[in-house]
Every structure is written in C-alpha cells, then in structure tokens.
C-alpha cells in the first residue's frame, strides 16, 4: 500500500497533468490556436481585458472547446468515481458503473426521446430519469428476493435482469426507428460523444455531480469498512443497509448524469479505478480523489484524439474500448507479476 507521502505526491502530479491537459486542449483542433491567444481570450471573457484575437477564435475557445473540455473532465471523473465505489461496495474488481443497469436505462431513455423527436434538453432529462429508474428497479428486485440475505449477490442479479430488459428496449426502439433519420441519430448517441456539448449541458451536469460526490467524499472511510464485508462493517457500528443504499444512489447519480450528457462510454469506470489503485493503493480516502483526477484526464485525452485523429470525429465509446481492452489486459498481467 502506498504511503501517505507517496500518495500525496501522486495526487499533486495527477493535478498537474490535468491542468496541462486542460490548457493544452484549447490549442489543438482543426483550428489551432496558440497559447498566448488562448490566455488572451480567456482573460478577455473573465476579466474584460482587450483581445486582439479574431471573433472566430474567441467563439471556438469560449463556446466550443471550453464546454467540451469541462464536460470531458467531469464525465470521466464521474464515471471513474462511480466505478471505484461499485468495485469497493461489491468487493469485485470486475464491476463497472453499469452493473445495476444505469447505463442501459439512460440509453433507453435517450433513444425513446430521440424516437419521439423531443427537444435535446428532454433527451438529457429522459436519459437521466430512466437511469435512476433502472437502478431503482434493480434495488427493488434485490429487496423482494433477498429478504436480507445475500444482498450483494441479489443486487448484482437484479442489475443483470434490469440491464438485459432495458438493452432489449433499446434494440426495440432502434428496430422501429426510421432508418433514414432516427436510427442513425440513436446509434450515434449510444456510441458516446461530446461534439454537441454546450455550457447549458455543463450546468445540467453539475448539480447531480456535486450531490453524488459530496457524500462520497465525506464518507470515504466508511466505504473502506464496507469493502471488508457486512459483518466487519456492522462490528464497527455502521448501518450497512443504509450506507449501501446511499453509496448506490450517489454512484447512480454520477453514472446517469454522465450518460445523459455524453452517451454510453464504456471501460472508463472499469479500468481507471484499477489504474488509480495501482498508483495510490486501495484506501478510498485517496483512491476516490485519484480516480477523479485520472478519469477526467483520461477522457479529456481520448476526446482530444477523437476530434483530431481524422477529419471525421470518432465516437468516444469506440476509442475507449479500443484503448481500454488492451490496457486492462496489461493491468492484469502486471498484477499477476506482482503476485508472483
């Protein structure tokens, strides 16, 4: 396990990397802008300084790249934290944020809204609402079946049932959609993208993120106790049932809000907590902040690649899968070598 000093140093480095990526992302794209120009535009918008940059450069930096960069940081951080919480809660390193059906539910909500030609804001709200509903159904199934026994196993099985159900609904929605207009729109949304994000989307994303992250930050040590098992947590005087429900609610808010903004982006909630765990160890007091930093930086880097690798933008879900699968294999090999 990493020492407190090494963990603090790792977090400082992770913050520095995120800051460099944040400012560097303003400069890359089909319309390159030099560092002085970026600083000048941001200073003019925030403090009213004079700006010699063109109107096009100001629009690109402030209205196009700033919302997208912020969204990439927040979505990547939210999915990573949700993955770390679920992995600790279920005591299983193979768990990801969609274990209880939040992603499938949100995907169906968005697909349904697109099929009904609802405004873009309603697509986000519908996706968020159905993500919450899906996890609520999984929790309901667990409560009805477990009767207080094997709660974790029943919760996972309930999540599998709900995920399968909403995945079928997504397939049905795509089947009945107009193949010339609605079907491509649904398909593209489900692959994940930040190409249409604006400042209003960031404002939509912030409240559930803050509501979800605040209790997790305050109760990190209790998540450590939950990771040892229900009996050990109860012996420490913790209300296991109430805490489990709270952690699931917080992780669900993070996942549903992320999917509502960016679509279904896989692998981040699975591999980033592993990466953070290799850096700072399993202690949730530092694991969750590190997951936040690494996850945000990772998705921002992937988004930069997605919008610059080709003239046509690559959906984020495709890139995260291409990068995530071999990287996860590398992490498994490294873990095996450390155990020998």
């Amino acid at each position: 396990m990493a020492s407190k000093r090494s963990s603090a140093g790792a977090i400082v480095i992770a913050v520095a990397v995120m800051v460099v990526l944040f400012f560097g992302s303003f400069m890359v794209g089909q319309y390159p802008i030099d560092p002085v120009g970026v600083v000048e535009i941001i200073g003019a918008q925030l403090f009213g300084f004079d700006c010699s940059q063109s109107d096009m450069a100001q629009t690109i930096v402030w209205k196009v790249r700033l919302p997208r960069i912020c969204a990439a940081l927040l979505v990547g951080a939210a999915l990573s934290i949700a993955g770390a919480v679920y992995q600790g809660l279920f005591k299983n390193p193979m768990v990801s944020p969609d274990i209880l059906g939040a992603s499938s539910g949100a995907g169906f909500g968005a697909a349904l809204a697109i099929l009904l030609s609802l405004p873009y804001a309603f697509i986000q709200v519908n996706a968020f609402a159905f993500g919450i509903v899906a996890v609520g159904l999984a929790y309901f199934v667990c409560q009805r079946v477990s009767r207080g026994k094997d709660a974790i196993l029943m919760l996972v099985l309930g999540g599998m049932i709900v995920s399968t159900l909403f995945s079928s609904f997504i397939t049905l929605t795509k089947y009945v959609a107009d193949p010339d207009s609605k079907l491509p729109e649904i398909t593209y949304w489900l692959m994940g993208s930040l190409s249409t994000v604006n400042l209003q989307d960031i404002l939509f994303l912030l409240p559930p993120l803050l509501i979800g992250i605040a209790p997790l930050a305050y109760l990190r040590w209790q998540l450590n106790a939950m990771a040892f098992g229900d009996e050990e947590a109860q012996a420490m005087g913790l209300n296991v049932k109430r805490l489990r429900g709270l952690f699931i609610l917080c992780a669900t808010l993070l996942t549903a809000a992320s999917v509502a903004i960016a679509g279904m982006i896989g692998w981040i909630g699975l591999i980033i907590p592993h990466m953070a765990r290799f850096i700072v160890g399993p202690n949730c007091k530092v694991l969750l902040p590190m997951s936040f930093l690494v996850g945000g930086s990772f998705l921002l880097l992937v988004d930069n690649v997605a919008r610059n690798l080709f003239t046509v933008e690559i959906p984020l879900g495709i890139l995260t899968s291409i990068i995530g699968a071999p990287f996860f294999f590398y992490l498994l090999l490294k873990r095996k070598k450390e155990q020998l």
Side-chain angles (χ1 to χ4, degrees), residues 17-286:
V17 170
M18 177 177 281
V19 171
V20 170
L21 280 173
F22 178 82
F23 285 103
S25 298
F26 284 104
M27 306 171 200
V28 297
Q30 301 298 324
Y31 189 96
I33 302 174
D34 60 82
V36 176
V38 172
V39 173
E40 189 177 354
I41 291 170
I42 294 177
Q45 291 291 337
L46 293 179
F47 307 108
F49 296 155
D50 293 334
C51 182
S52 62
Q53 302 296 316
S54 66
D55 291 341
M56 179 179 291
Q58 295 183 52
T59 300
I60 290 175
V61 168
W62 194 252
K63 295 186 177 180
V64 178
R65 291 183 185 170
L66 176 62
R68 184 162 186 163
I69 291 167
C70 291
L73 289 174
L74 293 175
V75 169
L79 291 175
S80 302
I81 290 179
V85 169
Y86 278 130
Q87 288 175 9
L89 197 61
F90 292 102
K91 300 181 286 292
N92 189 336
M94 300 303 296
V95 167
S96 62
D98 57 358
I99 183 68
L100 299 183
S103 296
S104 299
F108 170 68
L112 182 62
I114 294 172
L115 181 67
L116 298 176
S117 301
L118 297 179
Y120 182 70
F122 283 91
I123 296 175
Q124 295 178 336
V125 172
N126 220 39
F128 180 75
F130 272 90
I132 302 295
V133 168
V135 176
L137 286 175
Y139 200 79
F140 173 77
V141 171
C142 170
Q143 294 298 311
R144 294 289 296 177
V145 175
S146 67
R147 305 291 184 180
K149 299 179 180 179
D150 298 324
I152 295 295
L153 176 60
M154 292 300 107
L155 196 54
V156 172
L157 293 177
M160 292 175 60
I161 293 171
V162 172
S163 294
T164 303
L165 182 65
F166 278 104
S167 295
S168 299
F169 287 160
I170 292 175
T171 303
L172 178 62
T173 304
K174 293 168 69 175
Y175 180 76
V176 301
D178 183 348
D180 296 324
S181 59
K182 298 300 180 185
L183 181 58
E185 188 177 353
I186 292 172
T187 302
Y188 183 77
W189 191 94
L190 291 174
M191 288 190 292
S193 175
L194 295 171
S195 60
T196 60
V197 169
N198 53 42
L199 289 175
Q200 286 71 30
D201 297 330
I202 304 300
L203 295 178
F204 174 85
L205 182 63
L206 279 176
L209 252 62
L210 293 175
I211 295 172
I213 290 177
L216 295 175
Y218 182 71
L219 300 172
R220 298 195 304 272
W221 73 270
Q222 297 188 6
L223 184 59
N224 280 334
M226 296 283 287
F228 287 107
D230 292 355
E231 293 182 359
E232 287 78 2
Q234 288 173 349
M236 297 176 64
L238 301 181
N239 189 324
V240 173
K241 185 176 180 180
R242 183 180 300 174
L243 281 174
R244 182 181 295 121
L246 177 61
F247 288 138
I248 289 174
L249 175 61
C250 292
T252 300
L253 286 174
L254 297 177
T255 304
S258 300
V259 176
I261 293 296
M264 299 174 69
I265 303 175
W267 286 95
I268 292 180
L270 177 61
I271 64 172
I272 299 301
H274 282 275
M275 188 188 304
R277 207 172 284 115
F278 275 120
I279 298 172
V280 297
N283 187 350
C284 290
K285 289 185 177 181
V286 289

Side-chain angles (χ1 to χ4, degrees), residues 72 75-76 79-80 190-194 262-272 275 294-306 309 314-329:
V75 169
L79 291 175
S80 302
L190 291 174
M191 288 190 292
S193 175
L194 295 171
M264 299 174 69
I265 303 175
W267 286 95
I268 292 180
L270 177 61
I271 64 172
I272 299 301
M275 188 188 304
V294 176
S297 299
F298 176 78
L299 187 57
L300 180 55
L301 181 61
V302 170
D303 187 55
N304 287 338
V305 174
L309 188 60
I314 306 172
L316 290 177
I318 295 176
L319 271 183
T320 54
S321 297
I322 293 174
I323 297 172
F327 185 75
F328 189 58
F329 178 64

